[in-house]
Amino acid sequence: EESLQMWDLNKRLEAYLARVKFLEEENEVLRAEIQSAKGSPAGDSWRVKYEEELRALRDALDRAFREKCTAELARDNLYEEIQQVKSRCQKEQAAREEAKKLLSLSRKELEEERRAQIWLKERAVQLEKEVETLLEVHEEEKAGLDQEIASFSQSLESFRCASGAFQPVEVEDYSKRLSEIWKGAVETYKTEVSQLEGSLCQAKENLWKAVEDNHQSQLQLQHLEKDLAGLKARKEMLEESLAQQWQEQRGEAEKFQLAMEALEQEQQSLRVQIARVLEDRQQLMHLKMSLSLEVATYRTLLEAESTRLQMPAG
């Protein structure tokens, strides 16, 4: 029975020794791999690679941040430029309103000048008619006076005896005075007509001036409208470019964020793998220690059994 027990123990010991040897070889292989992974640059290639990729992504993130800052500065500059364009548009709108007001005032002045011109024309025609009427009345009165003078001279010829007491020269003086008075009235009407013609010419000049001012105001208004349309088109173009830049930057930021998340996940998986390897190594160390204790126990039993077997022989 003791021999069978010893044989069984020897078999178990051989199995344990073979397992210990296999585990020691596997442990050595793992230790060599871990040492090579720690010491050799080839083992650290994955770490260096991922660190380089992480560094490159960090640099790209820094560049994206700088580009974002640059884009924000450009956006602020564009906002300031848009504000300036808005202020200029407001100024041009105010100038346009002022030009419209001036245009309306010019139109009112033009209408007043036209009315004044029509009134002056009517007044001139009326004065011309009055002058013609006065001339006709003057001619009729002059003809009547001539007839009276002729009849009076004929009556004087019949009464020549009383020629010393009557003075026909006074009647001629009277007619001359009347003619002079009529001439003065005619000259006065002519003067008024000339004044009216002068005022009519002045009104025509004012009318042409108002028309010219109106034309200039219309040209200035058209120029302001063209500038406003150009500024609106430029504003739309700047807004489109700004929106496009924002979309591009948002897409790049999302790409960098996804890449960072992927790298973090890969780093987490590598940490899990390293922890698993360390845990396996710890388990192997515990197994090696337990096997070493069993081997020492069996060795002690074998030595005790060998000494027990050798003592009777001695």
Side-chain angles (χ1 to χ4, degrees):
E1 290 178 356
E2 290 179 355
S3 297
L4 289 174
Q5 289 178 359
M6 288 297 297
W7 184 75
D8 191 12
L9 288 173
N10 287 327
K11 290 293 183 182
R12 290 177 63 186
L13 181 61
E14 288 178 359
Y16 279 115
L17 290 175
R19 187 177 177 185
V20 167
K21 186 176 180 181
F22 175 73
L23 290 173
E24 286 180 351
E25 291 177 354
E26 189 175 359
N27 193 9
E28 290 295 332
V29 172
L30 289 174
R31 186 181 290 110
E33 289 180 357
I34 290 169
Q35 292 295 329
S36 63
K38 286 183 178 180
S40 64
D44 295 336
S45 62
W46 60 272
R47 184 177 295 174
V48 173
K49 181 179 179 181
Y50 287 119
E51 286 179 355
E52 288 178 355
E53 290 181 358
L54 186 61
R55 192 180 299 108
L57 288 172
R58 285 177 180 173
D59 294 334
L61 186 62
D62 292 333
R63 287 196 300 272
F65 182 74
R66 288 194 294 270
E67 290 177 358
K68 182 181 178 182
C69 293
T70 306
E72 287 178 354
L73 290 173
R75 182 192 64 186
D76 294 334
N77 293 325
L78 288 175
Y79 181 75
E80 290 178 358
E81 189 173 356
I82 289 169
Q83 291 296 325
Q84 291 177 0
V85 170
K86 285 183 179 179
S87 63
R88 187 176 177 185
C89 289
Q90 291 176 358
K91 290 180 180 178
E92 290 182 354
Q93 188 71 24
R96 185 177 178 182
E97 294 294 331
E98 188 67 24
K100 285 183 179 179
K101 289 180 181 179
L102 292 174
L103 182 60
S104 63
L105 291 174
S106 300
R107 286 178 179 175
K108 289 180 181 179
E109 291 178 357
L110 182 61
E111 291 294 332
E112 290 177 357
E113 292 293 335
R114 285 178 180 174
R115 291 175 184 174
Q117 186 179 5
I118 292 169
W119 182 80
L120 290 172
K121 286 181 179 179
E122 292 177 353
R123 184 63 177 166
V125 172
Q126 187 179 0
L127 290 173
E128 287 178 356
K129 289 180 179 179
E130 289 180 358
V131 169
E132 290 177 357
T133 305
L134 290 173
L135 288 173
E136 289 177 356
V137 171
H138 177 66
E139 292 294 333
E140 289 177 357
E141 289 180 355
K142 188 177 180 181
L145 287 173
D146 289 334
Q147 288 178 3
E148 288 178 0
I149 290 167
S151 62
F152 188 70
S153 62
Q154 288 177 3
S155 64
L156 283 175
E157 287 178 357
S158 61
F159 296 100
R160 286 182 181 179
C161 60
S163 63
F166 183 72
Q167 296 291 333
V169 182
E170 294 179 359
V171 177
E172 292 178 358
D173 293 334
Y174 180 70
S175 65
K176 287 180 180 179
R177 288 177 183 177
L178 287 175
S179 64
E180 288 177 359
I181 291 169
W182 284 112
K183 286 180 181 179
V186 170
E187 292 294 331
T188 304
Y189 281 113
K190 286 182 178 180
T191 305
E192 291 181 359
V193 170
S194 64
Q195 289 178 358
L196 289 173
E197 287 179 353
S199 61
L200 182 62
C201 293
Q202 185 69 28
K204 286 182 179 179
E205 290 179 359
N206 293 327
L207 180 62
W208 283 111
K209 189 175 181 181
V211 170
E212 187 67 24
D213 292 335
N214 189 8
H215 183 65
Q216 293 293 330
S217 299
Q218 288 180 356
L219 290 176
Q220 187 176 4
L221 184 61
Q222 291 177 0
H223 183 67
L224 290 173
E225 287 178 352
K226 288 181 181 179
D227 292 338
L228 183 61
L231 291 172
K232 285 182 180 178
R234 187 177 179 185
K235 179 183 176 183
E236 292 177 356
M237 184 178 66
L238 291 173
E239 288 178 352
E240 289 178 357
S241 63
L242 183 62
Q244 188 177 1
Q245 289 180 1
W246 271 108
Q247 289 178 359
E248 291 177 356
Q249 289 178 1
R250 188 178 296 172
E252 291 178 357
E254 290 178 355
K255 288 180 182 179
F256 285 125
Q257 187 68 29
L258 291 174
M260 288 293 292
E261 290 178 357
L263 287 174
E264 287 179 356
Q265 290 178 0
E266 191 172 358
Q267 186 179 5
Q268 190 67 27
S269 64
L270 288 172
R271 286 179 180 175
V272 171
Q273 290 178 4
I274 290 169
R276 191 178 297 167
V277 170
L278 291 174
E279 187 178 358
D280 293 337
R281 182 182 175 187
Q282 191 71 23
Q283 290 178 0
L284 288 174
M285 292 295 291
H286 286 297
L287 183 61
K288 181 180 177 182
M289 289 174 67
S290 63
L291 289 175
S292 298
L293 289 174
E294 288 184 4
V295 169
T297 303
Y298 282 117
R299 189 174 294 167
T300 304
L301 290 174
L302 288 174
E303 288 178 355
E305 187 67 23
S306 63
T307 53
R308 188 177 65 83
L309 292 174
Q310 288 177 3
M311 283 177 68

